[in-house]
Amino acid sequence: GQNIDQPTEMTATEGAIVQINCTYQTSGFNGLFWYQQHAGEAPTFLSYNVLDGLEEKGRFSSFLSRSKGYSYLLLKELQMKDSASYLCAPMDSNYQLIWGAGTKLIIKP
Amino acid sequence: GAVVSQHPSWVICKSGTSVKIECRSLDFQATTMFWYRQFPKKSLMLMATSNEGSKATYEQGVEKDKFLINHASLTLSTLTVTSAHPEDSSFYICSARDLGRELNEQFFGPGTRLTVL
């Protein structure tokens, strides 16, 4: 079957760094997306990885290891506005996104 | 670019009535749009994939006669919740894929919060 595993909740301090891990199992693979979702809002795109390695985009970076079925999202210089849920969503062979429940990130001053 | 709008952003209706939600891609053409439902603190659940000019593909467990989807043009898909009941109260989100881009990214609308009394 298809499965996503992320921590349910994480807490970090403003200005610090946090890494959100994601392991996945899908039928086929066409890349992995990370989305940010604030409470009561729709998801917004953060990053996309299709090849192994690290993709850096400002304060956010995303890493992928296809052989391990593993990805992480790294957030640097955390700001209060980064408090949100972070959704790891791999794309299967039918180009459908597979969604888990996401990781709720709480930033404390 | 790649903006998706939804209307209405929230709606309250009586049990037994029908509600239509519109999803529009404003600056790109989308042959495929997706309809999701999300309950509080739960993951996005794909309800159906909407293809322009053809019937929607529904996920297992989603009643196609209750959730009517119409994708009449390359920029508009509608979801009609028929004979709504309180258990249909949820956050409904659409997304669209821009075929003009290489990346298979889905662009999300802002969502519609439905409350059925």
Side-chain angles (χ1 to χ4, degrees), chain B residues 2-6 23-28 94-96 107-110:
Chain B
V3 179
V4 176
S5 71
Q6 267 184 257
C23 177
R24 293 181 186 273
S25 55
L26 298 185
D27 52 1
F28 66 98
C94 74
S95 69
F107 296 94
F108 285 86

Side-chain angles (χ1 to χ4, degrees), chain A residues 46-58:
Chain A
L46 288 178
S47 69
Y48 173 68
N49 295 67
V50 66
L51 299 176
D52 290 351
L54 188 68
E55 293 278 344
E56 295 186 75
K57 207 175 182 183

Side-chain angles (χ1 to χ4, degrees), chain B residues 82-96:
Chain B
T82 62
S83 187
H85 288 102
E87 57 265 30
D88 298 324
S89 298
S90 187
F91 191 44
Y92 291 85
I93 311 171
C94 74
S95 69

Side-chain angles (χ1 to χ4, degrees), chain A:
Chain A
Q2 310 206 93
N3 186 57
I4 311 297
D5 194 22
Q6 290 179 246
T8 305
E9 188 174 296
M10 298 181 73
T11 303
T13 306
E14 192 177 13
I17 299 173
V18 71
Q19 178 174 312
I20 302 174
N21 295 321
C22 169
T23 56
Y24 63 89
Q25 288 179 309
T26 56
S27 301
F29 182 75
N30 280 298
L32 185 143
F33 293 82
W34 282 94
Y35 282 87
Q36 181 190 60
Q37 186 177 25
H38 284 99
E41 299 180 9
T44 55
F45 170 78
L46 288 178
S47 69
Y48 173 68
N49 295 67
V50 66
L51 299 176
D52 290 351
L54 188 68
E55 293 278 344
E56 295 186 75
K57 207 175 182 183
R59 293 191 299 117
F60 294 2
S61 303
S62 56
F63 172 84
L64 175 67
S65 168
R66 288 171 296 171
S67 62
K68 294 181 180 177
Y70 168 70
S71 174
Y72 68 72
L73 180 70
L74 190 71
L75 294 79
K76 302 176 186 175
E77 300 169 20
L78 286 170
Q79 302 174 10
M80 296 304 291
K81 67 178 182 179
D82 298 329
S83 291
S85 286
Y86 291 85
L87 311 175
C88 162
M91 183 172 279
D92 69 10
S93 57
N94 293 320
Y95 294 94
Q96 266 197 16
L97 290 175
I98 310 301
W99 299 92
T103 298
K104 183 179 179 182
L105 178 63
I106 300 167
I107 309 296
K108 294 186 174 178

